[in-house]
Amino acid sequence: MDKTHLIEATTGRAADDGDRLTTESVGHTLDALFGTVEHPGSIAEALGRGETVHLGSFGSFHLEGGTAAFRPGKALTEFLQHATR
């Protein structure tokens, strides 16, 4: 799944929940969170300050040897284990 498909899927999922988000607003939100080539996002900025970004049971982003790393959380791990069976 590329960024365009992620934006479309997220917009559709939000619409299913009764929210009215546009693909543009979802795209801006993803850019603000993850960043672009030109501008780091909130996650990159926090990692740059030496912080760990916890996203609940989804997982966390942290630095390992100067490189960004992701550690999946319990909910994501359990979902993937069930999805691959």
Side-chain angles (χ1 to χ4, degrees):
M1 176 180 282
D2 65 12
K3 182 179 175 184
T4 300
H5 290 116
L6 179 61
I7 290 169
E8 290 171 359
T10 303
T11 302
R13 181 91 182 217
D16 289 345
D17 292 337
D19 293 333
R20 296 186 187 269
L21 298 177
T22 65
T23 55
E24 184 176 86
S25 65
V26 171
H28 288 305
T29 301
L30 288 178
D31 287 346
L33 182 61
F34 294 105
T36 64
V37 173
E38 297 85 16
H39 304 286
S42 302
I43 292 173
E45 289 174 343
L47 293 175
R49 293 188 301 269
E51 299 176 33
T52 297
V53 178
H54 299 278
L55 300 175
S57 59
F58 178 77
S60 63
F61 293 92
H62 59 282
L63 289 177
E64 279 185 10
T67 301
F70 177 73
R71 176 172 295 139
K74 183 177 180 180
L76 179 59
T77 300
E78 288 181 4
F79 173 79
L80 293 175
Q81 287 173 346
H82 288 90
T84 58
R85 290 184 189 173

